[in-house]
Amino acid sequence: ETVLTQSPATLSLSPGERATLSCRASQSLTKFLAWYQQRPGQAPRLLIYETSNRATGVPARFSGSGSGTDFTLTISSLEPEDFAVYYCQHRDNWLSFGGGTRLEIK
Amino acid sequence: QVHLVESGGDLVKPGGSLRLSCAASGFDISDTYMAWIRQRPGKGLEWVAYISGIESVTFYADSVEGRFTISRDNAKNSLYLHMTSLRAEDTAVYFCAREDTDGYFEKGYLYLHSYKGLDVWGQGTTVIVSS
């Protein structure tokens, strides 16, 4: 079973800054990794699929990269609505989620 | 417009049973991968179960294997999660989600061609297991 570890658990930044969120796997993964954003009281929203592809309607400031055991979600310039919790997720025979990174306003 | 609406969440005693429903609109679930994901209070996302497209192969997380059953009614375009032997640790918000998956099963294992993620989510339904 794949274990996904996200870091940091909490990231404190200001609007306009660049955010880099990490997702590390317990074993080498395929490209079938996705990222989700969850705002308080809402369902998660798909941001990135297959490591680096933006989902429909996702702003270009969101980008994904990585391979093997290390994957990254980057938000190039934070907007106020970006402060939320972010989850990585891998798909093989099962689905695995990381524990999440809370992005908070500094 | 593509939409998922869950229902059926309730307060239930330990050892009890419950069936969650997820009504889909705007797409046909009969040939679509569908999943249940839960979120315990204040915690992260946890995959619970999925059902594949046309083959209707099902898989479960270890934490619910043997207690939960995922199914669908194509005529009603609805997904279900039948939960039995409920425990306090099953207390959570349960989300259903559409999964854009393309692959094939061989000897019980899924081999993916592509994976475009859990692209449609319901708003969630709350299950509380408490005496």
Side-chain angles (χ1 to χ4, degrees), chain A residues 1 31-32 34 36 38 42-46 49-50 87 89 91-95 97-99, chain B residues 33 39 43-45 47 50 59 95 99 108-110 112-119 121-122:
Chain A
E1 179 186 344
K31 67 177 182 178
F32 302 124
Y36 301 85
Q38 188 179 32
Q42 295 186 14
R45 169 198 177 199
L46 175 66
Y49 65 90
E50 289 186 355
Y87 296 95
Q89 176 246 325
R91 188 61 158 103
D92 49 21
N93 206 41
W94 303 271
L95 288 82
F97 284 95
Chain B
Y33 280 67
Q39 188 167 35
K43 301 299 183 183
L45 302 173
W47 166 68
Y50 78 83
F59 275 90
F95 297 98
E99 198 177 25
Y109 194 90
L110 176 62
L112 291 170
H113 295 306
S114 69
Y115 183 65
K116 297 184 178 179
L118 297 153
D119 62 347
W121 293 68

Side-chain angles (χ1 to χ4, degrees), chain A residues 21-97:
Chain A
L21 287 67
S22 172
C23 177
R24 180 160 290 178
S26 57
Q27 59 188 310
S28 186
L29 301 181
T30 64
K31 67 177 182 178
F32 302 124
L33 186 114
W35 290 90
Y36 301 85
Q37 176 193 68
Q38 188 179 32
R39 297 183 177 122
Q42 295 186 14
R45 169 198 177 199
L46 175 66
L47 297 176
I48 301 288
Y49 65 90
E50 289 186 355
T51 299
S52 60
N53 296 289
R54 276 189 302 277
T56 303
V58 175
R61 63 181 181 272
F62 290 91
S63 64
S65 62
S67 65
T69 60
D70 292 301
F71 295 81
T72 300
L73 175 70
T74 302
I75 310 171
S76 59
S77 179
L78 286 165
E79 297 288 339
E81 62 268 27
D82 298 338
F83 292 92
V85 181
Y86 292 84
Y87 296 95
C88 59
Q89 176 246 325
H90 182 254
R91 188 61 158 103
D92 49 21
N93 206 41
W94 303 271
L95 288 82
S96 304
F97 284 95

